[in-house]
Amino acid sequence: NITNAGLDFNANDAGIIIYDYNLGDININSRSGRIIVQDSSANNMRLEMTDGFIRLQDTTAQSVNTTNPHGKTVVTDTNINDLQVDGINKDIIVTDQKGKSILKNEHGSIILNDLEGEIDIFNRSGLIISRQDTAVNGTARTGSGRIRWHEVDDGQADFKIEACSGYTPDADDQQP
């Protein structure tokens, strides 16, 4: 259904491409397939899949919530005030996102590059890799996974890294 209030789409297995859409809300639910939203803006977006591919590129929104437990999610060049991405065993890749970003994954990787705004990242046992040109505020947490964080900017940031298990060197530890 496409109306002036938004777009609602439900499918079992679909390839959905939304290009240059600038109206209302977007709600898509598909068990598998692809969802691609590019050069678009919306108030709110809810994109749900069980096993597929979600891509947001050059997109602006107040709020975006993606759920893709067994699929891959890629977010590139976006300005989303509140972004939430949930996954279980595939990759979540977020590049050049402006706004608050909440990213949760169980076993897959979370890969970040040049985020602006507050971030909250949790990955139970997968890898978190981040490269930031500027300081970001937030938290990166893992249960038993690894975190690789590279920040180019020497500026001050309110940032916290937490791990439930693994090696954390003490201040007196002299290992390189």
Side-chain angles (χ1 to χ4, degrees):
N1 294 333
I2 299 175
T3 66
N4 61 355
L7 168 76
D8 285 314
F9 190 87
N10 290 301
N12 192 28
D13 182 14
I16 301 162
I17 299 174
I18 298 172
Y19 182 80
D20 197 23
Y21 178 87
N22 299 297
L23 185 67
D25 297 338
I26 297 174
N27 295 301
I28 299 174
N29 187 333
S30 181
R31 187 182 60 76
S32 62
R34 294 180 182 264
I35 299 172
I36 298 173
V37 179
Q38 185 172 341
D39 294 324
S40 298
S41 67
N43 293 330
N44 302 300
M45 285 188 221
R46 181 169 207 65
L47 310 174
E48 297 181 9
M49 297 190 96
T50 302
D51 181 12
F53 177 74
I54 296 175
R55 180 180 184 98
L56 292 167
Q57 183 172 348
D58 297 318
T59 298
T60 302
Q62 289 296 316
S63 167
V64 174
N65 187 325
T66 69
T67 303
N68 195 4
H70 305 290
K72 183 176 184 175
T73 302
V74 178
V75 179
T76 306
D77 297 321
T78 55
N79 189 344
I80 300 167
N81 289 346
D82 292 302
L83 171 67
Q84 182 165 340
V85 180
D86 294 310
I88 293 180
N89 24 338
K90 295 284 177 135
D91 295 339
I92 295 173
I93 301 169
V94 181
T95 302
D96 296 321
Q97 150 60 6
K98 293 175 181 66
K100 183 177 181 180
S101 301
I102 300 171
L103 313 172
K104 297 176 185 174
N105 208 347
E106 295 291 321
H107 311 294
S109 295
I110 297 177
I111 301 168
L112 311 170
N113 190 26
D114 290 336
L115 275 62
E116 292 181 28
E118 184 182 344
I119 60 173
D120 184 2
I121 304 163
F122 176 74
N123 199 343
R124 184 170 309 284
S125 64
L127 179 63
I128 297 172
I129 300 173
S130 177
R131 184 188 184 288
Q132 305 299 318
D133 284 338
T134 59
V136 293
N137 296 326
T139 304
R141 298 172 308 218
T142 183
S144 60
R146 293 184 297 168
I147 298 174
R148 292 185 182 172
W149 197 273
H150 178 72
E151 204 163 282
V152 176
D153 189 3
D154 290 335
Q156 295 290 325
D158 183 14
F159 195 78
K160 187 177 191 180
I161 294 179
E162 299 175 357
C164 293
S165 65
Y167 174 73
T168 304
D170 294 329
D172 297 308
D173 194 356
Q174 298 298 317
Q175 293 181 343

